[in-house]
Amino acid sequence: MARAVVTVPPRAKRGEIVEIKTLAQHAMETGFRRTQTGELIPRDIIRSFSCSYNGVEVCRVELHPAIAANPLIAFTTVATESGTLQFRWVGDNGYTVTEIAPIKVE
Amino acid sequence: MSPRLLLLAFFVVARAWAGEIAPEQRRSGYEMMSRETQKIQDDDATNPGMLWVLDGEALWKRKAGAADRACADCHQSMRGVAARYPAFDPARGRPVTLEQRINSCRVDHQKAPPLPYESKELLALSAYVARQSRGLPIEPKIEARTKPFLDSGREAFHRRQGQLNLSCSQCHDDNWGKKLAGSVIPQAHPTGYPIYRLEWQNLGSLGRRLRNCVFGIRAQVPELGSDELVDLELYLMWRARGMKIEAPGVRP
């Protein structure tokens, strides 16, 4: 199960600054830990996150091994027009999650 | 009454009171954590426990086992259920935790193998059930048949154990609010289980948390789901009766 939750205000005024919160379910295994028998646990992290607003990228994040599990990424953008926000997380071992959220600007 | 008898009566009463936190002084661990951590818990958009709740909701509706039945095929709302556990199970003749109840339902009615303790699936299902009791008061049913298990849990809570020779009560009744290695000692009320503990980077059950504490006092750590842990859980829920469920809680 690879789950992500995004929270976008469903409606906003034109020009308003809106806060967007995203939460992705991921263990963010650093690649530095070892098992009790001394074997290295291979790295398994989310490497990048991006959000595009009607096709225009408004946020991009690079993630590294020191970032906590289930990373919460919150950012703001300016509500320009009605449409959709597309979110994409990409990580090790073929991890890809895409979420879409609509926004209504009036 | 002779002075000697009066003194004896005083000691008996004082002994019964010793340690127990007065109802109006009880505080959830929530109130003792930082404002930042409180905000993570308060908002479903930031509470990582909600990821398990959503997984649990999906599992709840999925058919499983030889009976090819989903939880949702029999059960409607589970509001208030988590507030009553551990509850007496006549088949086992003793109280069982919510996790054990979910598993016996799986085995008996879904004809599916039980889920391992602390597995993602079992945590997800218990988080989904517990979330439905958020805001409701904890009220385990104490009756004649559950009383011996409650007493055994109370005894465990007050028993000194381990290399450090400490009882649960010495920290959580007598010294709550003070600090242990930089962290505030809470009163140990199980209001938010299963909790997302930032230290674990994961969701965990009350059993896991109790094992943590027992390991900390360097005592023999009981198995998950063992009678000893379940009795202790029952006592802790009784001790927190009337306090509000916060599940899924976030703790440092």
Side-chain angles (χ1 to χ4, degrees):
Chain A
M1 287 180 278
R3 188 179 286 278
V5 181
V6 297
T7 312
V8 176
R11 47 188 69 237
K13 289 196 180 73
R14 194 175 303 278
E16 188 185 338
I17 295 171
V18 290
E19 188 180 27
I20 294 157
K21 291 173 188 161
T22 73
L23 197 58
Q25 190 171 38
H26 200 288
M28 294 297 280
E29 187 57 59
T30 62
F32 297 114
R33 297 198 309 159
R34 286 174 191 275
T35 63
Q36 284 192 328
T37 51
E39 290 149 75
L40 202 65
I41 305 170
R43 190 186 84 168
D44 182 13
I45 61 168
I46 302 175
R47 287 197 305 268
S48 75
F49 163 79
S50 64
C51 169
S52 53
Y53 184 179
N54 286 344
V56 181
E57 190 174 84
V58 290
C59 178
R60 185 166 71 228
V61 178
E62 279 178 30
L63 292 96
H64 296 278
I67 291 174
N70 309 305
L72 160 70
I73 300 171
F75 57 95
T76 54
T77 190
V78 180
T80 50
E81 57 194 73
S82 295
T84 55
L85 288 142
Q86 196 180 31
F87 305 86
R88 191 174 157 83
W89 294 258
V90 179
D92 296 332
N93 304 318
Y95 173 91
T96 312
V97 176
T98 312
E99 279 288 332
I100 291 171
I103 183 165
K104 198 166 186 249
V105 178
E106 48 213 9
Chain B
M1 204 184 271
S2 76
R4 185 173 290 179
L5 207 64
L6 202 68
L7 201 67
L8 186 73
F10 172 78
F11 276 121
V12 168
V13 170
R15 223 185 129 72
W17 280 346
E20 300 250 325
I21 301 168
E24 68 279 6
Q25 281 200 325
R26 289 183 307 175
R27 304 272 181 278
S28 162
Y30 174 88
E31 292 174 52
M32 300 187 196
M33 62 193 196
S34 72
R35 230 177 32 202
E36 291 79 4
T37 315
Q38 289 179 344
K39 286 188 93 170
I40 298 178
Q41 175 177 315
D42 290 343
D43 186 354
D44 279 351
T46 60
N47 184 335
M50 290 310 289
L51 294 166
W52 278 261
V53 171
L54 293 170
D55 279 349
E57 186 178 11
L59 282 171
W60 190 262
K61 292 173 181 159
R62 190 182 302 160
K63 293 188 187 301
D68 200 31
R69 268 197 286 186
C71 310
D73 291 344
C74 296
H75 298 283
Q76 309 291 320
S77 164
M78 299 301 276
R79 195 173 142 80
V81 172
R84 295 195 291 269
Y85 273 79
F88 194 82
D89 178 13
R92 293 203 209 189
R94 58 165 291 108
V96 294
T97 62
L98 184 59
E99 289 88 355
Q100 290 173 324
R101 190 70 191 84
I102 290 170
N103 262 339
S104 59
C105 223
R106 266 182 76 83
V107 173
D108 298 343
H109 303 300
Q110 290 183 304
K111 311 285 178 215
L115 298 165
Y117 288 117
E118 302 307 298
S119 63
K120 198 173 175 184
E121 289 83 6
L122 188 54
L123 287 171
L125 283 169
S126 58
Y128 175 65
V129 173
R131 167 69 179 82
Q132 297 177 48
S133 297
R134 191 192 277 178
L136 296 177
I138 293 173
E139 45 181 12
K141 202 171 163 196
I142 303 300
E143 44 194 347
R145 56 185 184 173
T146 43
K147 186 79 178 19
F149 302 98
L150 176 70
D151 290 342
S152 138
R154 188 204 316 266
E155 191 274 327
F157 190 81
H158 291 95
R159 186 176 66 233
R160 282 169 170 257
Q161 49 178 330
Q163 289 179 331
L164 298 188
N165 198 27
L166 282 171
S167 72
C168 310
S169 164
Q170 281 178 298
C171 280
H172 299 291
D173 278 339
D174 303 344
N175 287 296
W176 61 268
K178 294 183 191 164
K179 290 202 168 181
L180 182 69
S183 309
V184 180
I185 302 172
Q187 294 181 350
H189 296 301
T191 47
Y193 286 87
I195 58 164
Y196 188 87
R197 197 170 179 213
L198 301 177
E199 186 189 309
W200 292 337
Q201 304 261 300
N202 206 341
L203 202 76
S205 69
L206 177 54
R208 179 176 178 188
R209 186 67 193 82
L210 292 176
R211 274 165 55 91
N212 245 216
C213 241
V214 175
F215 183 82
I217 55 169
R218 300 186 201 163
Q220 191 89 37
V221 182
E223 290 299 315
L224 283 166
S226 63
D227 294 354
E228 191 181 348
L229 274 188
V230 178
D231 292 350
L232 190 53
E233 285 189 28
L234 178 64
Y235 172 69
L236 288 176
M237 288 296 267
W238 174 82
R239 188 169 164 269
R241 65 202 178 282
M243 297 178 79
K244 300 254 188 309
I245 297 256
E246 301 163 21
V250 175
R251 293 291 182 272

